[in-house]
Amino acid sequence: MTCYRFENLTPVVDPRAYVHPSAVLIGDVIIGPDVYIGPLASLRGDYGRLIVHRGANIQDCCIMHGYSDMETVVHENGHIGHGAVLHGCVIGRDALVGMNSVIMDGAAIGAESIVAAMSFVKAGFRGAERQLLIGSPARYLRDVSDEELHWKRLNTLEYQDLAGRCRASMTETTPLLRPEPNRPTLRGTTEVQPRPADTGK
C-alpha cells in the first residue's frame, strides 16, 4: 500500500486486514481486522479521523475524507461498493452503500440499511435502521427485507474471505501472452444468490 504519515499521525492497519498495494492511506486512518480495502481506494485522514471497523470493505476507487471536527466511520461489516464517496459521514453496522453513491457530511446511515447505487445522501441526513434509500437526493423507499439483508451479508462474507485470500496469494506479476490450457475459473467460498429484485442497486 501507499502509506503516508501526516503531521505526526501514521495510518494504523490491523495485520488481519488486506489493503491493496495501489490504495492510498494518509494520516489519521484506522483499519480494523478482517477489513478489505480495494485497488485505488483513497483514505485521506488529513483533516478528520477515518475509521473502518472489523469486517467492513471499502471497494476499488472509493474515497473516504472528512473535516477536522468529525470522524468518518464505517462500522462493523459495512459494505461500500465500487466508486462510492464517503465524506464526514457514519455508515452503520451491517449497512451497504451501493456503487457510485455519495454520502455527505454529517449524514448517518442506519444499521442494516441499503443505499441504492448512484444515490446522493445529503449533508445532515439522519437515517434509521433497515432503510432502503434511493435517489438524488436519497429518500426512504421502504424497509430492507430479510432476503435483501441475507444477500448483503453473504456478499460481505465474500469480501471478508477475499481479504484473507489476497493476503495469502496476491503477488505482482507479468501478464501471460495467452491463456494457458485448462485455465481454472475462480470461485467464491460462499454461495451468493442473485441479488433480490427492486432494490435499486
Side-chain angles (χ1 to χ4, degrees):
M1 77 195 82
T2 304
C3 188
Y4 296 95
R5 182 176 176 84
F6 180 77
E7 294 184 349
N8 295 319
L9 284 169
T10 301
V12 176
V13 179
D14 187 280
R16 290 166 290 176
Y18 174 78
V19 180
H20 189 273
S22 67
V24 178
L25 310 181
I26 299 172
D28 196 3
V29 177
I30 301 172
I31 294 174
D34 306 316
V35 166
Y36 173 88
I37 306 293
L40 302 176
S42 175
L43 284 73
R44 280 183 51 206
D46 51 11
Y47 281 91
R49 179 168 294 168
L50 312 180
I51 304 172
V52 184
H53 285 280
R54 177 188 295 272
N57 63 78
I58 310 292
Q59 297 172 23
D60 31 320
C61 300
C62 288
I63 296 171
M64 286 184 72
H65 194 233
Y67 287 121
S68 56
D69 60 346
M70 63 182 66
E71 295 180 342
T72 305
V73 181
V74 178
H75 281 286
E76 185 173 357
N77 296 331
H79 191 102
I80 312 303
H82 316 288
V85 177
L86 308 180
H87 203 279
C89 59
V90 175
I91 308 301
R93 174 190 48 79
D94 223 5
L96 180 149
V97 175
M99 292 181 273
N100 289 312
S101 292
V102 176
I103 318 295
M104 290 298 295
D105 304 280
I109 303 302
E112 301 179 347
S113 292
I114 294 175
V115 179
M118 300 185 70
S119 294
F120 177 82
V121 178
K122 59 187 179 182
F125 173 87
R126 311 302 291 181
E129 291 189 5
R130 290 190 77 159
Q131 290 183 321
L132 176 60
L133 304 169
I134 185 169
S136 183
R139 67 191 188 283
Y140 167 77
L141 181 65
R142 57 174 170 78
D143 287 351
V144 171
S145 70
D146 290 344
E147 180 188 13
E148 289 162 344
L149 187 58
H150 176 68
W151 170 83
K152 180 269 167 199
R153 286 174 173 164
L154 287 176
N155 278 271
T156 300
L157 284 171
E158 284 278 1
Y159 271 93
Q160 291 167 358
D161 181 68
L162 182 60
R165 292 167 63 200
C166 289
R167 285 196 317 271
S169 69
M170 187 175 289
T171 57
E172 190 169 358
T173 189
T174 301
L176 302 174
L177 297 179
R178 61 191 59 83
E180 60 271 56
N182 302 312
R183 183 179 176 91
T185 300
L186 293 172
R187 302 275 184 215
T189 57
T190 60
E191 295 184 12
V192 177
Q193 302 300 316
R195 68 187 66 184
D198 193 33
T199 63
K201 294 187 295 297

